[in-house]
Amino acid sequence: MAKATRSSIQCCRIVLIMIWVLLAQYQIPISSISVEPKGGGRSCIQRERDALLSFKASIEDPSDVLSSWHTGQDCCRWRGVVCSNNTGHVVKLDLHNNFIVFNYDYNTDVINYKFRTLGGEISPSLLAIEHLNYLDLSYNDFGCKRIPEFIGSFKHLKYLDLSDAGFSGSIPPQLGNLTKLLHLDLSANSLHSIDLVSWLPYLSSLKYLSMSEVNLSAVVDGVQAMSMLPASLRVLYLSMCNLNASFSSLPLYSSNLTSLVSLDLTYNYFHGPIPDGLLRNMTSLKDLWLEGNDLIGMIPETLRNLCNLKILMLFGNQISGDITELMKRLPPKIEELDLSANNLAGSLPSWVEHMTSLSYLDLSFNGLTGPIPSGIGKLTNLSGLDLSSNHLVGIISEDHFASLTKLEDLSLFDNNNLTMVVDPNWIPPFKLKYAGLSSCNLGPHFPTWIRSQTEIFYLIMSYTRIADRLPDWFWNVISQVNFLDLSLNQISGVLPSTLEFLSTASEINLNSNRFQGGVPQLPTSLQVLDLSNNTISGIIPLSMCNQLHSLEILDLSHNHLSGQLPRCLTSMKSFRANPGDLTPVGSKLSIVSFHNNNLSGEFPLFFRGCQYLNFLDLSYNNFYGSLPTWIGERIPQLVFLLLSSNMFSGYIPIQLAKLDYLHVLDLAHNNLSGTIAPSIVNFTAMTTISTYGNYYVPDYISMLVVTKGQALEYYTKTIMSLMSSLDLSGNCLTGKIPEEIGGLATLKNLNLSGNRLIGYIPETIGGLQSLESLDLSNNELYGEIPPTLSALTFLSYLNLSHNNLSGRIPSGQQLQTLDNPSIYEGNINLCGPPISKNCSVDGTSLNYPLEHVDGNEMSSFYLSMGLGFAVGLWVVIGPLLFKRTWSTTYFLFIDNIYDRIYVYMVLNWARLIANIMKK
């Protein structure tokens, strides 16, 4: 028993020593941390209990966070309240929020995610708690209210955390009264400050200051305020404060921040070079965070004098120069170095092997060239290496990894030209958790060293030139995977009937390979599944419904799937994927593509529950029936709707006009009939610029768009910036082209060809200011081509062939460049360039000339004209013979129009004769 007691005492001593070491590292005294037990031998003091109840009464607490505050008399046992064991005074109030609640509404099938936050007013009754030294209200929501000025009256306060609590307005200068304050966190609110000098220098004991995301752009004499920061500071976080100044103007070189251990100035729009000596006084500095600014040039040589610096983060600047020179200027103890997304050039030096303290190195997204030195394999502390998106070349061998026993993250993807050559029996010394190897040459055989990576969490091996069968052991090795990408290879094999054993998987991307088999059963955690461009066959199983409660992206395009889609029940009242799961089936889907399969059936009712769907592609299948009217109401977030090359019939529902975010509508090559309703050509997203709703599509999702006379594949992120498209071609649509079509100011592709449209091309077509491709061919349009067509300055493709258009072809501006006669073929009554047929000599257009006139037709023509003339004459002259007053009025009228009739008859007679002569 005595031995056990001594062992317990020894363990306690070790724990206390470890705590002391951690505190000493950042030089924070133990006295600054409240470790008083909750409750204790004393009950709370009555006036302080009353103050807490008054505080609760003014607070909004919809989730009943403070439910324990009315139980019993001892407030020292209430949640978040800590009292002193010695005096019974409340010394600590910790009400930070760290709870989330889920609420499902069975009437609307909607899930509400809600933080268990406090809000409302903070009562000044708290001032009765005079001995309070710790106050934490972080991660609540006080509704953009100001920070109460009375907080500056807590004269014993040492710890104050108001971060991310929904405060706004100016920081009260009364905080300067908190002279004992050691820790102050005001970050992540909508705060601003004009005056820091009046309060910040008075916090002479402050060791930790975080004002990240506080707007300091309007601070008067901010440079002076920076120079007056307390010398006691160990940690200073000022990221995203809109400081927007030359980096050399910061008074860091003249400040007395000699004890500073961690400095964060990220995303502040600092510009210019890092001057020599700027940080020379900060010899205690261990962490320096300068990401996301606009710093230029080479890092200063004096940076090497910061002998305690271990973390240097310069991601997303304009640091330039040779990588060899830069690495010479680094402090000797550097452990974590992030220089990604800069302008560095040159080759990695061979002596990088001597930087033995390095545990993390990120040089991605630069312009590095040459090979990776094999000496990098001697960095025994290296756990993360990212050299992706450079221009590195050469061989990667076993030597590059010889001593990397701690390596967990390896990223070499994109833009590099690296080839891994290792022995087939090689077993790496590391256990990777993240492997980003896309675009590296790992093939043609599947790399067997992957078999040893049983702890892999992210595995990205797309476009690695593997042309091999997937080994049987693979699925067991990656049983813990979260993200799997083997796309754009030639990997073959039959998919397992179930992938449910991948219980932690959130994304599986196997597109553009040679996988066979059916659609497997999926893990319920899966959010993204991409099996496109394989030879997957069979039907989509009913089991898919069980996985659709979590799926956000489903791409099964370009396979051999057949049959109808499963009839998943979407109402939570009648179906749940798993007992206790509150997520409606399909409610999270944002992207679905079944393009180019053999699927059939009517428009799937399943999509009624997909209220957040952005992208739906059912094109090139065998779907039939009418388009449901509920598409415009139940799928309101649609941006892309692609239904071409099916057998849909009936009218185009006018309810589609409710799709305010619709950017691409493709209904081509179906059996749709009826007229084009004016509302259908008035989509909001095609009339104004960039209204896309809650929209996200990853880089690899593509779609087929017929534009400029050819079918082109676009990646959806590209098409968002390049075009909006309306394609109703290849149907049985009748009636006229609505005048309202001219309102689609951002439309870039319009295809109405292959229908039975009649009437004139509307003059309003000149309003399509962004149009690049226009196809109205193979209809029954007549009349002249509107001159407004020449105003379409971006038009690069035009097809008006095989209609009944007549008259002179407009010229000028962009139409001058469209000089291919095939644009107008099949319109025999058109004339003028670029076709060879000349217009009439007097410049008048030949709108409706008589064709195929022979002798009998001429006789009939003259007879009809004579009879018409006689009847007309009697109608006019007859009454005049019997009524004198009428005759006076009629002759005055005839005198006014005589000349016009005469000219009209002469012109038409001339046209008739000209036509006869040509025949």
Side-chain angles (χ1 to χ4, degrees):
M1 183 68 181
K3 183 177 180 180
T5 302
R6 286 194 298 269
S7 177
S8 299
I9 294 172
Q10 185 65 22
C11 287
C12 290
R13 287 175 177 172
I14 292 173
V15 170
L16 289 173
I17 291 172
M18 291 176 65
I19 293 173
W20 180 84
V21 169
L22 290 172
L23 293 172
Q25 181 180 6
Y26 287 95
Q27 304 180 37
I28 299 176
I30 295 178
S31 61
S32 68
I33 307 297
S34 293
V35 292
E36 308 235 18
K38 197 175 209 177
R42 292 176 176 267
S43 298
C44 71
I45 297 171
Q46 182 63 38
R47 70 174 182 276
E48 295 183 354
R49 182 180 185 275
D50 293 341
L52 290 174
L53 290 176
S54 180
F55 166 79
K56 180 189 177 185
S58 67
I59 286 292
E60 295 175 2
D61 185 10
S63 303
D64 211 14
V65 175
L66 304 181
S67 58
S68 64
W69 283 34
H70 56 74
T71 304
Q73 296 296 315
D74 189 2
C75 66
C76 295
R77 299 185 181 277
W78 292 351
R79 181 186 171 209
V81 180
V82 176
C83 299
S84 168
N85 255 351
N86 298 322
T87 65
H89 286 295
V90 174
V91 294
K92 179 175 181 178
L93 194 57
D94 186 354
L95 297 177
H96 77 278
N97 166 57
N98 59 358
F99 291 92
I100 302 177
V101 292
F102 303 89
N103 179 42
Y104 176 70
D105 188 334
Y106 283 87
N107 295 318
T108 61
D109 281 351
V110 173
I111 295 178
N112 297 313
Y113 300 83
K114 189 173 183 180
F115 287 97
R116 296 186 63 181
T117 57
L118 300 175
E121 297 287 343
I122 301 176
S123 171
S125 63
L126 284 180
L127 288 175
I129 307 177
E130 298 176 357
H131 295 270
L132 194 68
N133 64 45
Y134 187 111
L135 178 59
D136 189 345
L137 298 175
S138 60
Y139 299 99
N140 285 291
D141 185 4
F142 289 98
C144 294
K145 292 182 174 61
R146 292 178 175 269
I147 296 174
E149 295 178 358
F150 68 79
I151 286 182
S153 300
F154 290 109
K155 60 183 179 180
H156 295 290
L157 207 60
K158 295 180 180 180
Y159 185 103
L160 178 60
D161 191 344
L162 303 178
S163 62
D164 203 1
F167 290 111
S168 67
S170 181
I171 300 172
Q174 287 82 1
L175 294 184
N177 298 329
L178 303 176
T179 56
K180 294 184 179 180
L181 204 62
L182 302 174
H183 181 111
L184 176 60
D185 194 339
L186 303 175
S187 61
N189 289 287
S190 298
L191 296 170
H192 64 271
S193 181
I194 299 175
D195 182 13
L196 292 178
V197 177
S198 65
W199 64 273
L200 191 54
Y202 296 98
L203 304 181
S204 56
S205 300
L206 202 62
K207 298 183 183 299
Y208 179 103
L209 175 61
S210 178
M211 292 173 54
S212 295
E213 300 181 52
V214 174
N215 189 350
L216 302 179
S217 60
V219 169
V220 177
D221 207 354
V223 172
Q224 179 188 359
M226 292 282 289
S227 65
M228 298 174 66
L229 288 168
S232 57
L233 270 180
R234 303 290 185 270
V235 176
L236 177 59
Y237 294 152
L238 295 176
S239 67
M240 293 184 282
C241 290
N242 294 308
L243 294 172
N244 196 13
S246 169
F247 200 63
S248 60
S249 66
L250 291 181
L252 298 176
Y253 60 90
S254 61
S255 68
N256 53 2
L257 299 177
T258 56
S259 300
L260 203 64
V261 172
S262 184
L263 175 61
D264 185 351
L265 298 173
T266 59
Y267 298 98
N268 271 302
Y269 308 106
F270 287 125
H271 48 86
I274 304 175
D276 248 5
L278 182 68
L279 306 168
R280 63 172 176 257
N281 292 336
M282 299 183 183
T283 55
S284 299
L285 202 62
K286 293 181 180 179
D287 307 342
L288 179 58
W289 306 75
L290 298 173
E291 302 110 308
N293 287 292
D294 194 21
L295 303 177
I296 63 173
M298 178 59 68
I299 63 174
E301 293 184 19
T302 52
L303 196 68
R304 186 173 179 82
N305 298 331
L306 302 182
C307 55
N308 290 308
L309 193 66
K310 295 181 179 180
I311 299 176
L312 177 60
M313 299 290 166
L314 286 167
F315 157 79
N317 282 282
Q318 301 293 328
I319 304 297
S320 59
D322 188 83
I323 185 64
T324 301
E325 177 60 28
L326 183 143
M327 298 185 88
K328 288 179 181 178
R329 303 181 178 199
L330 294 174
K333 295 182 181 179
I334 198 75
E335 295 178 1
E336 298 182 26
L337 177 63
D338 188 346
L339 291 165
S340 58
N342 279 284
N343 296 322
L344 295 170
S347 300
L348 283 170
S350 58
W351 49 260
V352 70
E353 64 187 62
H354 300 302
M355 303 180 69
T356 54
S357 297
L358 270 179
S359 63
Y360 177 79
L361 177 61
D362 190 346
L363 300 175
S364 61
F365 294 92
N366 278 286
L368 304 183
T369 56
I372 301 174
S374 60
I376 207 166
K378 297 180 180 180
L379 302 180
T380 56
N381 290 310
L382 200 64
S383 62
L385 176 63
D386 191 345
L387 301 176
S388 56
S389 294
N390 280 285
H391 304 290
L392 301 171
V393 297
I395 302 295
I396 303 175
S397 67
E398 297 172 24
D399 291 339
H400 287 82
F401 307 104
S403 300
L404 302 187
T405 57
K406 296 182 180 180
L407 191 65
E408 295 183 345
D409 298 347
L410 175 63
S411 187
L412 303 173
F413 61 82
D414 289 351
N415 295 336
N416 294 312
N417 188 12
L418 299 168
T419 300
M420 182 175 284
V421 179
V422 296
D423 188 280
N425 298 318
W426 177 59
I427 299 177
F430 49 73
K431 293 284 187 181
L432 293 179
K433 289 183 170 60
Y434 180 101
L437 303 173
S438 62
S439 299
C440 292
N441 187 355
L442 305 181
H445 301 295
F446 197 90
T448 54
W449 62 268
I450 294 291
R451 190 170 189 173
S452 65
Q453 304 305 299
T454 54
E455 298 178 8
I456 200 78
F457 194 66
Y458 278 76
L459 179 58
I460 306 173
M461 289 172 34
S462 61
Y463 192 55
T464 50
R465 302 170 182 84
I466 298 175
D468 196 3
R469 187 177 181 84
L470 194 70
D472 295 335
W473 48 258
F474 177 76
W475 298 109
N476 291 328
V477 167
I478 65 163
S479 61
Q480 300 182 51
V481 76
N482 176 268
F483 187 103
L484 173 65
D485 188 352
L486 301 179
S487 62
L488 299 168
N489 285 291
Q490 298 181 49
I491 303 174
S492 59
V494 178
L495 291 178
S497 60
T498 178
L499 294 176
E500 291 178 300
F501 56 88
L502 301 178
S503 58
T504 59
S506 65
E507 180 163 345
I508 297 176
N509 187 355
L510 305 178
N511 83 76
S512 303
N513 280 288
R514 297 178 178 177
F515 287 111
Q516 298 176 328
V519 177
Q521 294 189 38
L522 305 173
T524 56
S525 60
L526 200 65
Q527 298 174 12
V528 177
L529 176 66
D530 190 348
L531 299 179
S532 63
N533 290 282
N534 282 283
T535 54
I536 308 298
S537 58
I539 64 171
I540 298 176
L542 185 61
S543 63
M544 176 69 74
C545 298
N546 295 328
Q547 283 79 38
L548 287 179
H549 75 290
S550 59
L551 269 179
E552 298 175 10
I553 297 176
L554 176 61
D555 190 350
L556 300 176
S557 61
H558 296 284
N559 278 290
H560 300 158
L561 297 170
S562 59
Q564 298 187 11
L565 293 181
R567 296 188 176 183
C568 302
L569 300 176
T570 61
S571 174
M572 283 295 298
K573 299 174 183 177
S574 56
F575 179 80
R576 293 185 186 181
N578 291 310
D581 192 340
L582 298 180
T583 309
V585 176
S587 64
K588 293 185 178 180
L589 275 174
S590 62
I591 297 168
V592 174
S593 179
F594 295 130
H595 172 84
N596 194 20
N597 281 281
N598 295 311
L599 296 168
S600 60
E602 294 187 339
F603 193 92
L605 288 174
F606 161 72
F607 292 114
R608 285 175 65 102
C610 302
Q611 58 183 325
Y612 298 112
L613 198 62
N614 295 137
F615 180 101
L616 178 59
D617 190 348
L618 303 180
S619 58
Y620 291 85
N621 281 284
N622 299 312
F623 291 105
Y624 55 81
S626 59
L627 297 178
T629 58
W630 49 258
I631 294 178
E633 299 171 350
R634 299 299 295 268
I635 323 180
Q637 300 287 336
L638 271 178
V639 179
F640 303 97
L641 179 58
L642 309 168
L643 305 177
S644 65
S645 299
N646 281 285
M647 295 182 289
F648 289 116
S649 58
Y651 297 153
I652 300 174
I654 60 174
Q655 289 83 358
L656 291 183
K658 296 181 180 180
L659 299 173
D660 290 338
Y661 306 115
L662 196 66
H663 201 67
V664 174
L665 175 62
D666 189 351
L667 304 178
H669 301 288
N670 282 283
N671 297 317
L672 299 171
S673 58
T675 61
I676 302 175
S679 60
I680 294 300
V681 292
N682 197 25
F683 293 105
T684 302
M686 299 181 191
T687 59
T688 56
I689 295 176
S690 62
T691 50
Y692 304 136
N694 300 321
Y695 170 75
Y696 166 72
V697 173
D699 291 330
Y700 51 79
I701 299 294
S702 64
M703 59 188 294
L704 197 68
V705 176
V706 177
T707 179
K708 300 181 181 180
Q710 53 187 328
L712 301 175
E713 186 175 27
Y714 287 88
Y715 286 97
T716 45
K717 278 196 173 181
T718 303
I719 201 173
M720 288 300 292
S721 60
L722 292 183
M723 71 161 52
S724 60
S725 176
L726 176 60
D727 192 343
L728 305 179
S729 63
N731 283 286
C732 304
L733 301 175
T734 57
K736 297 181 179 181
I737 301 174
E739 295 280 342
E740 289 80 359
I741 202 165
L744 304 181
T746 62
L747 192 68
K748 295 194 176 183
N749 178 50
L750 175 60
N751 192 344
L752 303 178
S753 66
N755 283 286
R756 299 172 186 170
L757 300 174
I758 62 172
Y760 298 99
I761 299 174
E763 293 278 347
T764 58
I765 204 159
L768 304 178
Q769 303 167 8
S770 303
L771 201 66
E772 297 177 1
S773 177
L774 174 62
D775 193 342
L776 302 178
S777 63
N778 292 285
N779 280 287
E780 300 172 14
L781 302 171
Y782 55 76
E784 295 186 349
I785 300 173
T788 56
L789 197 64
S790 62
L792 303 180
T793 55
F794 294 101
L795 195 66
S796 60
Y797 177 85
L798 176 64
N799 191 350
L800 302 178
S801 64
H802 302 289
N803 282 285
N804 296 319
L805 301 171
S806 60
R808 184 185 297 275
I809 296 172
S811 61
Q813 299 186 25
Q814 191 68 13
L815 288 182
Q816 293 291 95
T817 64
L818 303 175
D819 56 0
N820 188 341
S822 65
I823 293 174
Y824 308 101
E825 70 180 7
N827 293 280
I828 60 175
N829 295 322
L830 286 175
C831 65
I835 64 176
S836 58
K837 185 176 182 180
N838 293 325
C839 295
S840 59
V841 176
D842 62 0
T844 57
S845 57
L846 305 176
N847 289 330
Y848 299 101
L850 298 176
E851 298 177 354
H852 309 294
V853 182
D854 58 20
N856 293 330
E857 289 173 335
M858 285 298 297
S859 300
S860 299
F861 171 75
Y862 289 133
L863 178 62
S864 299
M865 185 174 67
L867 288 173
F869 180 80
V871 172
L873 182 63
W874 174 252
V875 170
V876 176
I877 300 299
L880 303 182
L881 298 175
F882 302 98
K883 190 74 173 177
R884 183 179 299 272
T885 56
W886 287 15
S887 66
T888 304
T889 304
Y890 273 98
F891 284 123
L892 288 174
F893 171 75
I894 290 172
D895 284 340
N896 287 331
I897 66 171
Y898 174 80
D899 290 337
R900 298 181 185 179
I901 295 175
Y902 177 80
V903 172
Y904 177 82
M905 293 292 292
V906 169
L907 289 176
N908 278 280
W909 184 264
R911 289 172 183 164
L912 176 63
I913 297 302
N915 188 67
I916 294 172
M917 294 299 292
K918 289 179 181 178
K919 297 298 181 182

